[in-house]
Amino acid sequence: MQKYFRIFLSSFFFSVALLTNATAQDMKKDDSLYQDLGQREGIAKIVADFVPMLLEDSRIKQFFTKVKKEEFSEHLTNQFCELAGGPCRYTGKDMYEAHDGMKIGNAQFNAVAEDLQMAMEKNNVPSSVANRLVAKLAPMQRPIVSK
């Protein structure tokens, strides 16, 4: 009887170990986009090209007149990094609060997206990777664009 009990316990613990390992694998954060963007350093390079484009784009520059460039760049880098599955944490305002009362339309939102695409192209980000980042950012349209 004791032999069967030991076999049962061994089987039980083996099953628990397999289940725990499988669950840990499932819970592991997908950082493939973060890796494909060149990690934090690559994302920071994209942002370093992106922010000046925003500040100079006649379609949208009026929305960035009060922006502190370095602080804004840091927030964007952290936001993109976090969205891409990286270890960064965005600690800025939520998108509703950050854009409240700005009366941003779809045309302005699309202008920002175009500038981001150009910044990624300038940094040789493959279009498949760029599209994955844009897909992560797309849900932000709702809290940013005024109705």
Side-chain angles (χ1 to χ4, degrees):
M1 183 68 145
Q2 210 172 25
K3 178 181 174 185
Y4 293 113
F5 184 68
R6 278 188 289 196
I7 292 171
F8 168 76
L9 278 181
S10 295
S11 296
F12 174 76
F13 287 119
F14 180 73
S15 298
V16 168
L18 285 176
L19 181 61
T20 301
N21 188 37
T23 303
Q25 293 292 333
D26 290 342
M27 292 175 60
K28 185 178 178 190
K29 190 173 184 179
D30 178 12
D31 71 344
S32 62
L33 179 55
Y34 173 72
Q35 297 297 329
D36 291 345
L37 288 167
Q39 302 176 357
R40 183 172 170 74
E41 182 181 340
I43 293 168
K45 287 179 182 178
I46 293 165
V47 170
D49 289 324
F50 178 47
V51 170
M53 289 178 186
L54 295 174
L55 300 177
E56 296 168 10
D57 188 330
S58 62
R59 301 172 294 174
I60 54 176
K61 67 182 180 181
Q62 70 273 17
F63 296 108
F64 299 97
T65 57
K66 296 180 183 177
V67 165
K68 296 176 185 170
K69 186 177 174 182
E70 293 77 23
E71 185 179 325
F72 182 59
S73 295
E74 184 68 17
H75 279 306
L76 275 179
T77 299
N78 285 332
Q79 187 176 41
F80 291 175
C81 177
E82 183 176 357
L83 283 170
C88 312
R89 291 293 156 246
Y90 171 70
T91 58
K93 296 177 181 178
D94 71 42
M95 295 300 99
Y96 285 105
E97 184 181 356
H99 300 91
D100 186 41
M102 293 178 75
K103 299 184 179 168
I104 297 171
N106 283 316
Q108 290 85 17
F109 184 86
N110 293 338
V112 171
E114 289 172 21
D115 289 346
L116 177 58
Q117 288 283 15
M118 287 190 296
M120 288 191 286
E121 286 174 13
K122 184 174 180 180
N123 285 276
N124 300 312
V125 175
S127 59
S128 61
V129 175
N131 289 340
R132 287 168 46 214
L133 179 60
V134 169
K136 296 271 188 184
L137 295 168
M140 291 183 186
Q141 182 176 11
R142 180 168 296 211
I144 293 173
V145 173
S146 301
K147 302 265 187 231

